[in-house]
Amino acid sequence: MTLEELFEEHHSSLFRFIARMTHDPDLAKDIVQETFLTIATDWTPEEPPSKAWIFQLARNLARSGMRKRSRRLRLLREGVHRVPVAKPEPSPEVEAERAEARAALRAALDGLSEKERTLVLMREEGFTHREIAEALGTTTASIGTMFARALRKLENGLPDAIQEK
Amino acid sequence: MTLSHTPSGTLDPGVLVRYLHGELDAAGAEAVDRHFRECSRCRTLAETLEARERELGEKLRRTDAADPGRDVWDAALDEIRKAAAGGRRRGNPSRRLLVAGVVLVFAATAAAASEPVRSWVTGTWSQLRDPDPVPAATGPDAAEGAGRAGVRFQADGPGLDVVVESVQPEGGTLTVTFDGRGPATVSVVGGGSERLAVGERSVRIGNDRSSRAAYLVTVPRAVRRVTVRLVGLPPLDLHRPEEPDIPPTGAAAGGADATVVVDLRDGTVRKGDPDDEH
């Protein structure tokens, strides 16, 4: 596998994962790039890193990135999203509703512990319990219980579904 | 496999999750299936867990940030290829992108403030951070010519904050945040001499509650100036009912007081005119 192939295979899901973890698409973009820059400096085609390893590296980079940007994150407040250039945009009303839904979802996810949040978001990216346990430094057998607990915590925090207009 | 139960008699939710995720071995999954045939409570609990997880996934997808786009990833891949080829690796992208930032906070005191409001741009500007300190400025003229890279101004008290942050040399990142009352529309328009299509972003601020939202606008590299305008639709009324002698500010909205122009080349900020040529 080439480095480009590895990048193409994982960059979208990695961006999504980090953006969901950090609520900062700009930081997520930087983290994806930094992750693969790190991989590139020690790249061996015969031994490409696993998806779990890549995500774990990105998660660690995101943690340090978030500490550096904590002041900027406070300034950005709630409901930050990226407006793509020269693309059709939804109406301000839909955007406002989305921002509200995003803020509520963020609040619900922030109600989880960092491990629970990582677990839930890694599961969304299709990781197995063993991979998640490895990333969290816990046992595979505990993942099911942690996940159930996280779902229970999220139950009251999730916003009502927004209607696509 | 012996299935563990909670004190209430249902299967351990952790076991159910492992079952739903396909993490049980064949014997364990068969044991759960047999249990479901005899216990509707556990079957319902499993369906509930499955529905919650599905709901979470749907909501995550609906509120996900937009992918930065192919151009961004191609640029990233170029850097990665260089690194792999042993080329000179640049510093931390975060540091590189954060060089020469320009930050402006444009604030107006809204009706929620305890002070009477006379225009969109009032209040005391206090300097929060500046590597080259300048005296704190006050009043509506504070923004004029007072901005520079790395300087952030913030009006005291609750109000409508507009944060403009530009990052060079990759282009600009404009963050516009609102925390106040309207009704009002904020538009962000950018363009160099060629009037590039940055896109006009209008955000309506609710008039019956405090609105808080932030919008990140990517400004292409060729764009050198960005204008942030506040326009009242209908005319704004920011004074309190018990201050009838203060005229509504609707006439001022959209005028010079409600326009700030940021020059991305040198980080200067000035109050602008809506008819400014870009």
Side-chain angles (χ1 to χ4, degrees):
Chain A
M1 171 178 275
T2 66
L3 183 56
E4 288 85 349
E5 286 168 343
L6 188 73
F7 179 83
E8 291 301 335
E9 185 174 338
H10 296 303
H11 78 271
S12 284
S13 62
L14 189 60
F15 169 80
R16 184 173 56 235
F17 173 73
I18 297 296
R20 288 173 176 176
M21 282 285 288
T22 63
H23 312 293
D24 187 342
D26 257 357
L27 176 62
K29 176 179 70 70
D30 289 349
I31 295 299
V32 170
Q33 180 167 342
E34 186 66 20
T35 300
F36 280 91
L37 281 171
T38 303
I39 293 169
T41 55
D42 196 24
W43 171 249
T44 49
E46 299 79 22
E47 291 182 55
S50 66
K51 180 180 178 182
W53 189 91
I54 294 170
F55 272 60
Q56 204 165 334
L57 170 61
R59 184 168 153 248
N60 292 338
L61 290 171
R63 278 169 166 167
S64 57
M66 282 180 74
R67 276 195 291 274
K68 288 175 188 171
R69 295 193 185 202
S70 60
R71 177 182 168 83
R72 180 163 174 261
L73 287 172
R74 285 201 302 275
L75 298 178
L76 288 175
R77 296 183 186 153
E78 302 293 324
V80 175
H81 72 264
R82 188 180 196 88
V83 179
V85 172
K87 287 185 182 175
E89 296 171 3
S91 67
E93 290 76 17
V94 170
E95 274 306 324
E97 284 176 7
R98 255 199 194 146
E100 207 169 314
R102 193 175 295 114
L105 182 58
R106 175 181 178 173
L109 287 170
D110 286 349
L112 303 178
S113 69
E114 200 260 341
K115 280 189 174 181
E116 288 168 342
R117 190 163 51 249
T118 302
L119 184 165
V120 162
L121 294 180
M122 284 188 77
R123 180 64 202 166
E124 277 294 311
E125 298 301 327
F127 286 100
T128 65
H129 284 203
R130 186 185 60 77
E131 290 170 326
I132 297 170
E134 211 171 294
L136 297 182
T138 186
T139 63
T140 305
S142 68
I143 296 300
T145 303
M146 284 177 64
F147 193 88
R149 187 167 60 234
L151 284 184
R152 195 168 57 246
K153 285 185 182 179
L154 286 170
E155 183 188 9
N156 296 325
L158 284 177
D160 291 335
I162 57 171
Q163 298 300 317
E164 294 293 336
K165 292 186 180 175
Chain B
M1 173 184 176
T2 303
L3 301 176
S4 57
H5 287 71
T6 65
S8 63
T10 56
L11 278 178
D12 183 337
V15 172
L16 291 175
V17 166
R18 290 170 63 196
Y19 169 82
L20 292 169
H21 289 178
E23 294 280 345
L24 292 178
D25 58 20
E30 175 57 30
V32 173
D33 283 334
R34 276 200 306 274
H35 184 82
F36 281 164
R37 286 194 282 274
E38 299 161 9
C39 179
S40 61
R41 277 182 69 196
C42 289
R43 201 167 55 244
T44 301
L45 180 56
E47 288 167 359
T48 301
L49 287 169
E50 193 172 35
R52 282 184 201 162
E53 186 176 359
R54 189 169 52 245
E55 183 188 6
L56 171 64
E58 287 168 0
K59 281 162 187 168
L60 282 169
R61 284 184 288 278
R62 283 186 189 149
T63 55
D64 269 335
D67 188 274
R70 196 61 240 178
D71 287 349
V72 169
W73 295 128
D74 283 343
L77 201 46
D78 282 344
E79 294 296 317
I80 293 163
R81 284 192 190 103
K82 287 176 192 173
R88 184 175 68 87
R89 180 179 169 184
R90 296 186 186 182
N92 186 316
S94 299
R95 287 201 296 275
R96 175 162 52 86
L97 291 173
L98 285 174
V99 169
V102 173
V103 179
L104 162 76
V105 174
F106 167 77
T109 307
S114 57
E115 298 290 323
V117 176
R118 289 180 168 73
S119 78
W120 267 107
V121 185
T122 62
T124 301
W125 298 86
S126 47
Q127 181 178 296
L128 294 185
R129 176 175 64 90
D130 189 357
D132 195 4
V134 295
T138 60
D141 293 324
E144 187 168 350
R148 83 179 59 156
V151 177
R152 178 171 184 267
F153 295 91
Q154 182 178 17
D156 292 337
L160 190 69
D161 294 334
V162 174
V163 178
V164 175
E165 183 173 327
S166 171
V167 176
Q168 298 284 2
E170 298 293 322
T173 304
L174 188 69
T175 303
V176 183
T177 64
F178 317 102
D179 182 7
R181 293 176 187 271
T185 297
V186 177
S187 66
V188 179
V189 179
S193 58
E194 302 84 14
R195 274 202 175 266
L196 297 177
V198 172
E200 181 157 326
R201 182 103 190 97
S202 296
V203 177
R204 191 170 188 283
I205 303 169
N207 63 345
D208 57 351
R209 58 181 171 82
S210 180
S211 302
R212 175 175 291 188
Y215 294 86
L216 203 64
V217 180
T218 300
V219 180
R221 186 171 182 171
V223 172
R224 295 301 180 213
R225 192 181 309 177
V226 172
T227 299
V228 182
R229 296 199 184 106
L230 302 170
V231 180
L233 297 170
L236 299 164
D237 180 3
L238 296 183
H239 62 260
R240 297 187 302 174
E242 55 267 42
E243 301 278 353
D245 59 326
I246 300 174
T249 57
D257 281 352
T259 300
V260 176
V261 179
V262 182
D263 192 319
L264 302 180
R265 289 167 295 187
D266 55 14
T268 55
V269 175
R270 62 178 176 83
K271 289 175 61 179
D273 186 287
D275 297 325
D276 262 356
E277 287 296 320
H278 287 275

